[in-house]
Amino acid sequence: MKKTDLIMMDLRQFLMCLSLCTAFALSKPTEKKDRVHHEPQLSDKVHNDAQSFDYDHDAFLGAEEAKTFDQLTPEESKERLGKIVSKIDGDKDGFVTVDELKDWIKFAQKRWIYEDVERQWKGHDLNEDGLVSWEEYKNATYGYVLDDPDPDDGFNYKQMMVRDERRFKMADKDGDLIATKEEFTAFLHPEEYDYMKDIVVQETMEDIDKNADGFIDLEEYIGDMYSHDGNADEPEWVKTEREQFVEFRDKNRDGKMDKEETKDWILPSDYDHAEAEARHLVYESDQNKDGKLTKEEIVDKYDLFVGSQATDFGEALVRHDEF
């Protein structure tokens, strides 16, 4: 069996699994579906530098990489930290700015997204030219649908393909129907990119707006989260959601949510914890108060960034190579 045949088989199984998982989730009447996209928490630790720098360690490396062990001496820790700093300095000018540090922190918190992109990239860049065209993606993902217009599972793959093509074109900034890795990331995870937020809202409204009038009314809003399934009594959280819709979601009180109201709901303007932490780290480490950090200034405050005990920097460095 050819490599491409194996890829298509795996992707078909994945899509079937996705559809079954979605159906299963919708069949559970007491579980709440959350469509709101929140920024991940930088740490579940208390941010109090007077007690410890645990929060800063989680924010800087990511919680998984910030676990402390007795493996490295302070000298070894400083050496590894210096290597990480070289990666953070994106323009290689010898300084780490607040923006560069913020980008690093965001990367550390969202590494799973980049790992997902790497996995899928290998399965879609079929000619291995460092780009993924729409034709490559379509053939790898939906090639079997084109050969079999009526698959046995009954899932509407053609509708999904049309929706994917629309999103792909939105992610493809230069309109050549060929995605760079950054554009492919925007295609797979549109909620992470400002220029993709309209498509996130559009897809959400299409999912929930059952009468296709271009709005989400109260019953459609509740119906997306909860199925009565013969139960007369609603759980307390459903009653709360009804109140939330009336009091906060439907801002103009016309009984339904339009695109802007839906956007405010699913893509709230969260406080930027990454920027706040970046500013905090710069403030605490900036010895000459020029608003940016040298490698020496960061290494001098290594206890703030990574701790005075051992951290699994080897794993952190390997997993940050793609940054």
Side-chain angles (χ1 to χ4, degrees):
M1 184 176 289
K2 295 180 180 178
K3 179 182 177 183
T4 52
D5 293 333
L6 289 170
I7 291 171
M8 287 190 286
M9 183 180 297
D10 288 343
L11 286 165
R12 180 175 186 177
Q13 290 172 345
F14 168 75
L15 288 170
M16 289 174 64
C17 178
L18 180 64
S19 66
L20 289 172
C21 289
T22 302
F24 177 70
L26 292 174
S27 69
K28 300 170 98 172
T30 58
E31 284 199 359
K32 179 181 177 182
K33 182 195 297 182
D34 188 6
R35 289 188 178 270
V36 181
H37 300 279
H38 288 291
E39 286 289 310
Q41 292 295 313
L42 300 186
S43 174
D44 58 4
K45 311 289 196 318
V46 176
H47 196 185
N48 185 349
D49 287 353
Q51 293 183 352
S52 76
F53 297 131
D54 288 345
Y55 180 98
D56 303 294
H57 302 164
D58 284 359
F60 182 70
L61 288 174
E64 290 302 312
E65 281 67 39
K67 296 175 182 177
T68 307
F69 302 97
D70 293 327
Q71 296 177 354
L72 299 176
T73 65
E75 289 71 25
E76 290 171 325
S77 297
K78 291 177 182 180
E79 180 183 355
R80 300 292 183 90
L81 175 59
K83 293 178 181 179
I84 293 178
V85 173
S86 297
K87 294 176 179 289
I88 301 174
D89 179 16
D91 59 9
K92 307 303 179 187
D93 67 348
F95 297 97
V96 170
T97 64
V98 169
D99 283 341
E100 286 174 329
L101 195 50
K102 179 183 73 173
D103 289 343
W104 172 265
I105 291 170
K106 285 182 178 291
F107 178 86
Q109 300 304 316
K110 297 179 179 180
R111 187 181 300 108
W112 68 272
I113 290 175
Y114 299 98
E115 291 173 346
D116 175 56
V117 171
E118 286 299 321
R119 272 194 308 272
Q120 299 212 40
W121 185 264
K122 293 174 183 176
H124 291 95
D125 181 15
L126 301 181
N127 63 4
E128 299 182 347
D129 67 345
L131 300 165
V132 172
S133 69
W134 167 246
E135 286 300 313
E136 279 181 307
Y137 182 84
K138 181 178 71 174
N139 290 332
T141 309
Y142 298 106
Y144 61 89
V145 177
L146 302 177
D147 296 334
D148 180 10
D150 296 307
D152 294 336
D153 53 62
F155 193 74
N156 194 336
Y157 293 102
K158 285 191 174 180
Q159 182 178 342
M160 181 183 285
M161 185 170 66
V162 170
R163 183 157 156 161
D164 272 355
E165 183 176 11
R166 182 181 63 189
R167 189 198 284 190
F168 193 97
K169 288 179 177 178
M170 179 73 74
D172 175 33
K173 283 186 171 182
D174 57 11
D176 61 358
L177 287 181
I178 300 174
T180 63
K181 188 166 287 188
E182 184 73 9
E183 290 170 333
F184 193 63
T185 304
F187 166 67
L188 294 176
H189 299 278
E191 69 281 354
E192 300 297 329
Y193 292 80
D194 285 339
Y195 80 101
M196 294 293 291
K197 289 185 176 179
D198 285 344
I199 202 73
V200 176
V201 174
Q202 184 176 355
E203 291 178 0
T204 301
M205 294 192 75
E206 289 172 351
D207 289 342
I208 303 175
D209 177 21
K210 300 304 182 185
N211 63 8
D213 66 348
F215 299 92
I216 298 175
D217 61 36
L218 175 58
E219 293 311 313
E220 288 170 333
Y221 174 78
I222 295 298
D224 181 60
M225 304 177 185
Y226 171 75
S227 172
H228 283 277
D229 199 27
N231 297 322
D233 295 330
E234 292 182 340
E236 195 61 36
W237 68 262
V238 177
K239 297 176 183 177
T240 301
E241 283 296 338
R242 288 185 180 277
E243 294 171 0
Q244 290 284 318
F245 183 93
V246 174
E247 294 296 324
F248 301 107
R249 311 280 182 245
D250 177 21
K251 299 181 186 298
N252 62 6
R253 301 291 194 271
D254 64 352
K256 54 194 176 184
M257 286 196 295
D258 58 23
K259 288 182 180 179
E260 284 304 311
E261 289 167 331
T262 302
K263 184 176 182 179
D264 289 343
W265 165 44
I266 65 172
L267 297 167
S269 299
D270 288 337
Y271 174 72
D272 195 334
H273 295 278
E275 181 172 357
E277 177 64 11
R279 292 187 180 281
H280 167 67
L281 293 174
V282 169
Y283 176 80
E284 293 294 335
S285 310
D286 185 14
Q287 295 175 13
N288 63 2
K289 301 304 176 186
D290 63 351
K292 53 191 176 183
L293 302 178
T294 63
K295 180 184 292 187
E296 290 71 27
E297 286 176 322
I298 292 176
V299 172
D300 282 347
K301 292 285 290 186
Y302 83 102
D303 56 333
L304 172 65
F305 286 88
V306 298
S308 56
Q309 292 180 300
T311 300
D312 188 3
F313 287 105
E315 176 70 7
L317 285 168
V318 168
R319 297 183 72 180
H320 284 85
D321 278 345
E322 66 270 28
F323 177 74

